[in-house]
Amino acid sequence: MKKVRDVINRDVQTITRETLVGEIVSIMKEKRLGKLPVLDGDQIVGVVTRDDILVKQGKSPVPPVIAFWEIMIALPNSKGFKEKMKKFISFKAEDIMEKDFYTADIDADLEGVVSEMLDKGYNYALVLENEKLVGIVTKSDLINKCY
């Protein structure tokens, strides 16, 4: 039976509570990541996901839109949008992070971890060894390493 250690991605990028949203977006784009664990020292205190950036509690600014017949045109250069965007990118990770996250032990049975991820609605598991973050398992990791 496979264990979490068989599919773990050890190249996990982390951020701190103080990391600004602008920097988080840059990291996600540059490293092509959708999840960033937030650490306070060695302790995991949250996770920032793409969804947190895009839709978290309506904090993300949406450009004004003009409807013209059946066509909708976004106006991302409007002054109001630019001001909201400037404010948004100055938020810190702790302002938008999910404090509810799923962890799994590196030696856990993979089948049980995947079942629990699905049951709880998570698309990742932060992997711990001796209570320290050592990696992550995402749905992509599962597909790439199991099929």
Side-chain angles (χ1 to χ4, degrees), residues 90-109:
S90 70
F91 285 146
K92 297 177 183 175
E94 67 184 349
D95 297 326
I96 64 167
M97 70 184 184
E98 285 292 329
K99 294 177 185 167
D100 182 29
F101 48 88
Y102 180 65
T103 62
D105 188 86
I106 194 164
D107 291 317
D109 289 332

Side-chain angles (χ1 to χ4, degrees), residues 49-106:
T49 68
R50 263 186 297 241
D51 289 345
D52 296 324
I53 298 289
L54 297 173
V55 297
K56 181 69 172 199
Q57 298 171 0
K59 290 182 180 178
S60 180
V62 178
V65 174
I66 292 179
F68 189 69
W69 289 314
E70 296 91 33
I71 301 171
M72 297 187 69
I73 303 169
L75 303 172
N77 293 323
S78 75
K79 184 178 178 183
F81 174 72
K82 285 182 179 180
E83 288 172 6
K84 287 179 186 176
M85 182 58 88
K86 187 175 179 180
K87 180 179 178 187
F88 179 68
I89 62 172
S90 70
F91 285 146
K92 297 177 183 175
E94 67 184 349
D95 297 326
I96 64 167
M97 70 184 184
E98 285 292 329
K99 294 177 185 167
D100 182 29
F101 48 88
Y102 180 65
T103 62
D105 188 86
I106 194 164

